[in-house]
Amino acid sequence: DVKVTQSSRYLVKRTGEKVFLECVQDMDHENMFWYRQDPGLGLRLIYFSYDVKMKEKGDIPEGYSVSREKKERFSLILESASTNQTSMYLCASSLGQGGQPQHFGDGTRLSIL
Amino acid sequence: GQSLEQPSEVTAVEGAIVQINCTYQTSGFYGLSWYQQHDGGAPTFLSYNALDGLEETGRFSSFLSRSDSYGYLLLQELQMKDSASYFCAPSGSARQLTFGSGTQLTVLP
């Protein structure tokens, strides 16, 4: 079974802090994704990566950056956290192209105070 | 532009059949996926349609009409455990999905 592990289930940070969310997958998947999920808005794509050191902006990249130094690890960085970044963050990975399923981690519920 | 429409809520009773419709508009189109998410849980993959027609997996079936930019998820013999949010997700590119707001399905005893 594919395992996508997010480093924290719950996280509380303060406004202006630099925040790192880590995600690791164990199935040698090429593609990795970061989403945020808010009530009534569904899942929105922040960034994705289809190879090491490659990244592509999703629909809402503002205020975020990412890092993919190793194939199995994809990090989401909030450069200067703000209260409107309080959300559930979901990491996913998938293999190849053409409708391959995305496998999700359990999510990190991030609160910015 | 991109748009995605599915009902926000659906309610049905145990044992019934329910259909969740999805209409989409994307600049490119590779296929339509469906995901299930229970409260507090992670989304899990249900099905993928790249071609027109019906795909059946147990109690769940998914349908796609590319010419109508339309698909649906059909859930048969509903069980209480099917209460969850269901997301249709068109692929506008080879690797990406676009998720909508989802449909909250409530199954009543």
Side-chain angles (χ1 to χ4, degrees), chain A residues 43-103:
Chain A
L43 282 78
R44 293 180 291 167
L45 182 64
I46 304 171
Y47 268 97
F48 70 100
S49 167
Y50 55 86
D51 201 354
V52 175
K53 298 194 186 295
M54 303 298 290
K55 61 184 180 183
E56 295 281 344
K57 291 180 179 179
D59 299 318
I60 51 164
E62 297 78 18
Y64 303 95
S65 62
V66 290
S67 172
R68 192 157 180 212
E69 296 296 318
K70 293 185 178 182
K71 191 173 186 179
E72 67 270 18
R73 185 179 298 270
F74 193 35
S75 303
L76 180 70
I77 303 153
L78 286 66
E79 297 290 343
S80 177
S82 63
T83 54
N84 63 11
Q85 292 178 309
T86 291
S87 186
M88 170 67 84
Y89 289 87
L90 290 160
C91 174
S93 72
S94 70
L95 180 66
Q97 305 181 43
Q100 293 295 320
Q102 292 191 9
H103 300 268

